Amino acid sequence: MNNFASAAVDLVKVYGSGDTAVRALDGVTAGFRPAAFSVITGPSGSGKSTLMHCLAGLDTATSGAALLGGKDLTRLSDHALTRVRRDRVGFVFQTFNLLPALTAEQNVLLPVQLAGRRPDRAWFTQLVEVLGLSARLTHRPSELSGGQQQRVALARALVTRPEVVFADEPTGNLDSRSSADVLNLLRQAVRDFGQTIVMVTHDDRAASYADAVVRMADGRVVEAVAA
């Protein structure tokens, strides 16, 4: 699994105990290639979001390994996990999670500032141009459409040049046109920037944009297809 940017090896996640225990992940093994757009899909309750959260270091597995660049996140301390989430991964969520008092530019640059680093202005300029945000940088989230807000969220996820961007239902709150725009931008991030993207979705139309698809049901991988 060392050839993958992100991977699960016999990953198990159990919530609760005894008679009320829920086995959200039941021995999941799957790998996600670098510089590719991969999708985890399946019905509600299949374990797809739990898998992504474990791979991203947002949740802890009960057993098994969650690998990022060959490093097992399940063996890291809380402090080390915090550094991984800050320095090595990016996140895009369904609800955008933009700070309403900040401008689009301030929202994009927030991860860099929180890490105590100076922004790479050339990279920032390239990002906002590719994502079509150059004319919206002084706008606050309330002044942007849903599609524009998700573009800001994507720029924020990419600004630190993470090893992997994890996207959890990023088109879930968007209309069909804005959804297609965001999915095309994710593809473009892979093609133009060599970005690795792992996206969770229940939408088969969204999955059609991917290089590889992992389908889940009842906490297990039922199919893995590479384009």
Side-chain angles (χ1 to χ4, degrees):
M1 287 290 180
N2 288 335
N3 293 328
F4 293 103
S6 176
V9 181
D10 199 24
L11 206 60
V12 173
K13 176 63 179 180
V14 178
Y15 293 103
S17 60
D19 294 339
T20 61
V22 174
R23 202 173 183 87
L25 297 178
D26 191 9
V28 172
T29 296
F32 303 94
R33 291 184 290 114
F37 184 10
S38 300
V39 161
I40 306 169
T41 189
S44 178
S46 62
K48 58 187 184 295
S49 289
T50 302
L51 174 58
M52 192 206 78
H53 291 162
C54 289
L55 290 173
L58 295 173
D59 201 354
T60 56
T62 303
S63 64
L67 305 177
L68 180 71
K71 177 172 287 189
D72 185 1
L73 302 187
T74 67
R75 298 179 179 273
L76 299 182
S77 66
D78 288 344
H79 181 65
L81 269 178
T82 297
R83 289 204 311 272
V84 165
R85 290 192 296 265
R86 184 190 67 197
D87 298 335
R88 298 178 61 188
V89 299
F91 300 100
V92 182
F93 299 100
Q94 180 176 344
T95 52
F96 315 139
N97 288 356
L98 303 180
L99 295 183
L102 300 185
T103 65
E105 178 171 355
Q106 290 167 334
N107 269 288
V108 171
L109 293 175
L110 188 60
V112 180
Q113 294 173 342
L114 291 175
R117 299 200 297 265
R118 298 174 68 88
D120 181 337
R121 299 303 303 191
W123 173 238
F124 171 80
T125 299
Q126 184 181 2
L127 267 182
V128 298
E129 287 179 354
V130 167
L131 295 175
L133 291 170
S134 299
R136 297 287 186 269
L137 293 179
T138 60
H139 292 62
R140 287 180 169 76
S142 61
E143 301 170 310
L144 301 172
S145 68
Q148 290 167 342
Q149 289 185 64
Q150 195 60 292
R151 287 168 183 254
V152 173
L154 179 56
R156 181 183 59 191
L158 293 170
V159 74
T160 58
R161 298 180 186 264
E163 293 176 38
V164 183
V165 169
F166 292 98
D168 195 357
E169 299 277 9
T171 61
N173 282 339
L174 303 178
D175 59 36
S176 58
R177 181 176 178 178
S178 295
S179 295
D181 286 346
V182 168
L183 291 168
N184 280 318
L185 288 168
L186 291 171
R187 277 234 53 87
Q188 189 173 8
V190 173
R191 183 183 68 244
D192 294 350
F193 303 145
Q195 184 63 58
T196 303
I197 293 176
V198 178
M199 180 180 80
V200 165
T201 183
H202 66 277
D203 186 352
D204 284 339
R205 289 174 301 173
S208 70
Y209 286 75
D211 300 309
V213 178
V214 172
R215 298 188 187 279
M216 297 187 64
D218 300 321
R220 297 179 181 178
V221 173
V222 295
E223 184 182 30
V225 179

